[in-house]
Amino acid sequence: MAAGNYMRMWGVEPVMLCNQHLLGEHVEMHMFAGCLRKGMSLKGYYRNKLVCARSIKKRHDELAAEMIARGMKHKSPLEELVLPGDYEYGEIDIEVNIRELSRRCPDCRKQLDSTL
Ligand SMILES: [Zn+2]
Ligand SMILES: [Zn+2]
């Protein structure tokens, strides 16, 4: 995670991410899961549409599958998260994320621009 950037679930097709963003988002899914297990609030992330707590496990598994497809090692399975029924989950805006990633990262931009 680059200094000054918040953790973020990009949510775009994993195949579109450059290696750096693929690995980065994968680590951040583990960090989000760790926060939730410790009972920390992700409200600030929800407010900025940076994560959907309900999707963390699914997203982690998609990213891990893409890592393996690229010949990377993945040795950090993520256990299912159990959240209370009335839990606020948050949501992400994939259109915004595609634009933001494309703006930030020339390597991601190459793949993402075709989807804009
Ligand atoms: Zn993992
Ligand atoms: Zn990138």
Side-chain angles (χ1 to χ4, degrees):
M1 179 173 50
N5 285 339
Y6 289 103
M7 298 190 288
R8 186 157 177 165
M9 176 184 282
W10 293 107
V12 307
E13 289 293 323
V15 71
M16 300 282 186
L17 295 169
C18 71
N19 286 346
Q20 187 196 329
H21 277 109
L22 177 66
L23 291 170
E25 191 180 350
H26 166 254
V27 167
E28 290 173 15
M29 291 312 101
H30 280 281
M31 291 166 69
F32 276 129
C35 288
L36 289 171
R37 287 208 180 87
K38 286 182 209 148
M40 290 165 64
S41 167
L42 296 179
K43 274 202 170 64
Y45 291 93
Y46 300 148
R47 193 161 47 237
N48 294 301
K49 295 196 172 182
L50 296 176
V51 70
C52 170
R54 202 194 321 251
S55 307
I56 289 171
K57 158 75 174 159
K58 179 168 168 281
R59 182 64 178 166
H60 167 272
D61 291 352
E62 289 171 1
L63 295 167
E66 178 61 19
M67 286 165 60
I68 290 163
R70 294 187 193 185
M72 300 168 176
K73 287 190 166 55
H74 181 260
K75 294 182 174 171
S76 53
L78 187 64
E79 284 170 34
E80 196 66 61
L81 287 161
V82 181
L83 299 169
D86 60 351
Y87 191 81
E88 182 197 358
Y89 289 104
E91 58 180 14
I92 57 172
D93 185 333
I94 290 179
E95 294 295 314
V96 168
N97 287 349
I98 287 173
R99 282 197 291 275
E100 180 66 15
L101 255 184
S102 182
R103 190 179 67 78
R104 281 194 202 179
C105 179
D107 293 327
C108 285
R109 189 183 309 143
K110 283 181 210 144
Q111 289 93 273
L112 288 167
D113 276 359
S114 62
T115 70
L116 285 175

